[in-house]
Amino acid sequence: MDASVLVVDDQEIVRRALATELEDAGFDVVEAGDGKDAWECFQQRAPALVVTDVAMPRSDGLELLGRIRGESDVPVIVFTAYGTVDAAVSALKSGADEFVSSEQLEPEEIVELARRLCGGEEPSSELEQLQERLVGKSAEMEQVRQRIAGVASLSTPVLIEAEDGSGRRTVAR
């Protein structure tokens, strides 16, 4: 995969970890330490995807997202350590394609999202396999499986709320 990804985070260790995972998956990665530098990189490099933190000095991720949406429909994944419902709603209303809480951030998940958003992977291609990981044969579980199938191919963001250990991450995939 030759798609270019712009990774933005003021914490170098987090930025490098994400960049390394994406590079290992075959993406061409450009890094920036804040929204201001990221905007300059975005204009110069025209990446196929942007992965940005929210809280950063000089210019935050939501400001960057607003600038990008003013000029482009490039997919943007927003992540933050402050993964509240309000933060997710704000990011999605501002035009983010995906929102991920840093406390649940798995580099492999970002790679999966990057592949999907760059057109290399359809969510429905592994839908059956993921649904098999959801245990239970009750009518309620069948409803959950049907709802997952109904929204899997949508490009519209979907908010998934459930208790810890209930399979949210599996459903999100």
Side-chain angles (χ1 to χ4, degrees):
M1 176 156 296
D2 293 318
S4 175
V5 178
L6 173 58
V7 176
V8 189
D9 195 328
D10 60 322
Q11 295 180 12
E12 184 177 359
I13 193 163
V14 174
R15 186 176 68 238
R16 273 306 316 143
L18 289 172
T20 299
E21 286 292 327
L22 289 162
E23 288 167 344
D24 289 349
F27 290 94
D28 176 32
V29 178
V30 180
E31 298 178 46
D34 62 41
K36 186 175 180 182
D37 291 343
W39 179 243
E40 291 173 16
C41 287
F42 181 83
Q43 291 179 308
Q44 293 170 358
R45 302 287 298 264
L49 173 68
V50 176
V51 179
T52 184
D53 187 14
V54 172
M56 295 179 290
R58 297 197 316 159
S59 177
D60 68 25
L62 294 181
E63 288 175 37
L64 174 63
L65 175 60
R67 286 180 161 183
I68 291 170
R69 285 295 166 257
E71 291 191 16
S72 173
D73 62 351
V74 166
V76 178
I77 299 171
V78 173
F79 67 93
T80 183
Y82 311 103
T84 65
V85 172
D86 290 341
V89 169
S90 177
L92 295 171
K93 280 186 175 180
S94 297
D97 293 273
E98 295 286 345
F99 177 87
V100 179
S101 170
S102 297
E103 60 194 29
Q104 300 170 341
L105 182 66
E106 297 288 335
E108 306 83 35
E109 181 180 356
I110 294 294
V111 170
E112 282 182 38
L113 290 172
R115 284 185 178 136
R116 183 171 53 86
L117 292 171
C118 288
E121 191 174 293
E122 285 296 316
S124 60
S125 66
E126 59 183 86
L127 179 61
E128 190 173 307
Q129 178 186 6
L130 289 171
Q131 284 186 333
E132 288 175 6
R133 293 174 47 194
L134 295 173
V135 275
K137 298 188 187 287
S138 68
E140 290 83 3
M141 278 307 293
E142 191 54 40
Q143 276 186 321
V144 169
R145 286 187 185 91
Q146 288 174 358
R147 286 185 181 171
I148 293 168
V151 298
S153 63
L154 299 176
S155 61
T156 306
V158 176
L159 178 63
I160 301 166
E161 292 184 300
E163 294 179 22
D164 287 344
S166 62
R168 273 189 323 247
R169 192 169 289 157
T170 300
V171 169
R173 286 187 184 124

